[in-house]
Amino acid sequence: MGTRGSKPQKQAQVLMLGLDGSGKTTLLYKLKYNESVVTVPTVGFNVETLYGKRQRQDAA
Ligand SMILES: Nc1nc2c(ncn2[C@@H]2O[C@H](COP(=O)(O)OP(=O)(O)OP(=O)(O)O)[C@@H](O)[C@H]2O)c(=O)[nH]1
Ligand SMILES: [Mg+2]
């Protein structure tokens, strides 16, 4: 993203909000591991770092 002429944004911090039991944790771990996990109601909050395809290749 970004305006014309600016560098593409390489990192983003995303805050996901939703009602209890609306699927936030399920979506987070689906995005991170591409798997459907069994969840329990979250106490507090979940924080995860997700990497894009290119970033994973750079890390390897
Ligand atoms: N049918 C259906 N069920 C879903 C979907 N996403 C999540 N669920 C189910 O909804 C329930 C709650 O999912 P969570 O991911 O724990 O919801 P949450 O928003 O993190 O809940 P809290 O942590 O309590 O706020 C679980 O039983 C999930 O399996 C979906 O897309 N479809
Ligand atoms: Mg949760």
Side-chain angles (χ1 to χ4, degrees):
M1 296 292 270
T3 55
R4 192 161 39 147
S6 68
K7 279 182 155 183
Q9 190 174 345
K10 292 185 176 173
Q11 292 184 15
Q13 290 178 298
V14 177
L15 174 66
M16 182 158 43
L17 299 173
L19 295 175
D20 289 355
S22 58
K24 303 179 293 295
T25 299
T26 304
L27 177 58
L28 176 63
Y29 289 103
K30 179 71 178 174
L31 290 171
K32 187 171 173 74
Y33 297 115
N34 197 27
E35 285 181 13
S36 298
V37 299
V38 176
T39 64
V40 295
T42 301
V43 178
F45 48 85
N46 296 309
V47 179
E48 294 291 348
T49 302
L50 282 71
Y51 296 97
K53 202 172 182 182
R54 184 173 297 171
Q55 289 168 302
R56 275 200 303 271
Q57 288 168 351
D58 290 348

